[in-house]
Amino acid sequence: MAAISIGTLTDLEKTSYVREGLAIARPKLIYQQFGQGDRVAKREGKTRQWFRMTKPGLTSHASSFSSAQYVKNTTGAPPTWTPATPADTTVTAQVDFLFGQGHEWNEGVEYTSFAELPKELRELNAQHAAEAIETEVIGVVKAGTTVAYANAKANRNLLDSNDKADMDDILAQVTTLRNNDAADIKGLFRALVSANVVEQLMKDSAFRSAIQFQKDYLFTGTIAELFGVAFQFSSLAPTVTNSGSNNAVANVEQTIIVGSNSYGITKWMLNDYDIVYTKPGGWGDEWAVKHAMTWKYMFKSVILNQNWLLRLESSR
């Protein structure tokens, strides 16, 4: 039977239902919200692009730009202007098509418009899509090559039960990002943490004392903001099981700390996210009582700069 989907609606209706889905999805999009959005104006076909500029160097010269990026002299004589060509990196990747498992239910009524479909199921599909998208982003950022271990351990196998995350670990890794010339995100680096790491930090007296007079937060999932770091909680934060010293540590927490433009994501927009409803009466449904609803999404996430995000591993 013919299907009803967001893609078949008018632009005004599309906007309404995409916003409805985004409102449900946003609380789950913790990692996704700090990625650099793709170049929407260049969104064509199955590819997405992200744009990154390379900063000029800081070498000076008395009269010429031939081997320098700025001129310094005592005469005030202007040099011959020889501007540099901006060095840019355009990262291009083909999207992944994500398809939700969806739901099937029996009901005698037939729905003739998208607005009549059970709102609860529309919301459930949006939440499932958000968690799938978040899982995809996490899979990309946790594979970054810059990694550190609690208490300055040399590798994962040396972690033991005492190597839990604390503010000393967090600040050491933020220092690494700063030394790598990573930019912050609206004034703060972002530490994306699990509930277990939140508990560990709350037991750290330095952390607990610093957050006594914290404010309400703009970003979804924010636990605290201190020492130039914002802590964001996600129920989907990654862990590794059966690791550590001779497998003595059953679970290793993976806290991701990021700066601006360290990774890219495609935004939740029109024509990317869709909910599809299939009417009753298809093959095997001669009595026309089976309804089906699912979601699909075109999405991609990529690392843009390995030096601007890192993974801190600690014991649970």
Side-chain angles (χ1 to χ4, degrees):
M1 298 296 290
I4 301 175
S5 69
I6 293 177
T8 63
L9 306 178
T10 67
D11 285 347
L12 186 60
E13 291 171 320
K14 284 181 185 179
T15 301
S16 175
Y17 288 113
V18 168
R19 284 179 174 175
E20 175 188 85
L22 182 57
I24 303 303
R26 186 176 287 113
K28 290 295 182 182
L29 300 177
I30 306 301
Y31 292 73
Q32 201 258 12
Q33 68 180 315
F34 298 115
Q36 176 185 327
D38 62 306
R39 300 178 68 193
V40 177
K42 294 291 185 181
R43 180 173 290 182
E44 299 174 355
K46 299 178 181 179
T47 60
R48 301 292 182 265
Q49 289 186 333
W50 296 265
F51 192 66
R52 185 178 69 240
M53 300 294 296
T54 300
K55 292 198 310 181
L58 295 173
T59 303
S60 66
H61 190 274
S63 60
S64 170
F65 292 108
S66 60
S67 60
Q69 290 76 46
Y70 67 96
V71 166
K72 172 186 175 183
N73 61 38
T74 59
T75 64
T80 300
W81 189 44
T82 51
T85 300
D88 66 87
T89 301
T90 301
V91 179
T92 302
Q94 183 167 326
V95 296
D96 294 318
F97 292 85
L98 311 181
F99 298 91
Q101 183 179 17
H103 303 84
E104 182 179 87
W105 73 98
N106 294 338
E107 192 172 4
V109 68
E110 179 174 329
Y111 300 103
T112 59
S113 72
F114 204 81
E116 294 177 343
L117 296 173
K119 184 176 181 180
E120 294 80 5
L121 272 179
R122 296 202 309 262
E123 293 177 348
L124 186 60
N125 272 272
Q127 180 178 342
H128 187 232
E131 291 184 347
I133 294 164
E134 188 78 339
T135 299
E136 291 295 313
V137 178
I138 291 171
V140 170
V141 297
K142 77 175 184 179
T145 56
T146 306
V147 58
Y149 304 92
N151 289 330
K153 292 295 177 68
N155 57 62
R156 183 185 294 170
N157 290 332
L158 295 178
L159 291 173
D160 59 38
S161 59
N162 295 315
D163 296 321
K164 294 179 169 53
D166 58 25
M167 276 308 300
D168 290 341
D169 294 315
I170 300 293
L171 293 176
Q173 305 323 311
V174 170
T175 298
T176 298
L177 291 180
R178 288 182 173 129
N179 286 336
N180 289 342
D181 207 19
D184 55 48
I185 301 172
K186 295 187 181 298
L188 298 161
F189 291 97
R190 307 287 162 169
L192 311 174
V193 299
S194 70
N196 300 296
V197 172
V198 171
E199 179 187 11
Q200 292 171 8
L201 290 172
M202 291 296 184
K203 292 178 179 178
D204 178 3
S205 58
F207 184 90
R208 192 167 57 239
S209 297
I211 65 170
Q212 291 183 68
F213 305 106
Q214 293 288 295
K215 59 183 180 180
D216 292 332
Y217 299 106
L218 170 66
F219 285 100
T220 301
T222 304
I223 301 300
E225 295 177 353
L226 63 157
F227 307 133
V229 187
F231 295 83
Q232 257 78 29
F233 160 70
S234 172
S235 62
L236 299 174
T239 61
V240 178
T241 58
N242 298 320
S243 189
S245 178
N246 298 319
N247 293 331
V249 179
N251 294 279
V252 172
E253 301 290 338
Q254 295 182 311
T255 296
I256 310 297
I257 307 174
V258 302
S260 180
N261 297 333
S262 55
Y263 61 101
I265 53 92
T266 52
K267 294 292 188 180
W268 182 294
M269 299 189 68
L270 290 178
N271 303 321
D272 288 341
Y273 169 68
D274 202 358
I275 292 179
V276 181
Y277 164 70
T278 303
K279 297 179 181 181
W283 179 260
D285 185 28
E286 286 73 14
W287 284 271
V289 294
K290 289 185 178 179
H291 301 251
M293 186 188 295
T294 187
W295 61 269
K296 60 182 179 180
Y297 196 96
M298 289 192 297
F299 180 80
K300 194 65 179 180
S301 182
V302 295
I303 291 179
L304 299 177
N305 193 314
Q306 294 279 4
N307 295 321
W308 294 350
L309 81 166
L310 57 80
R311 185 176 73 254
L312 171 64
E313 299 196 349
S314 58
S315 62
R316 179 174 296 182

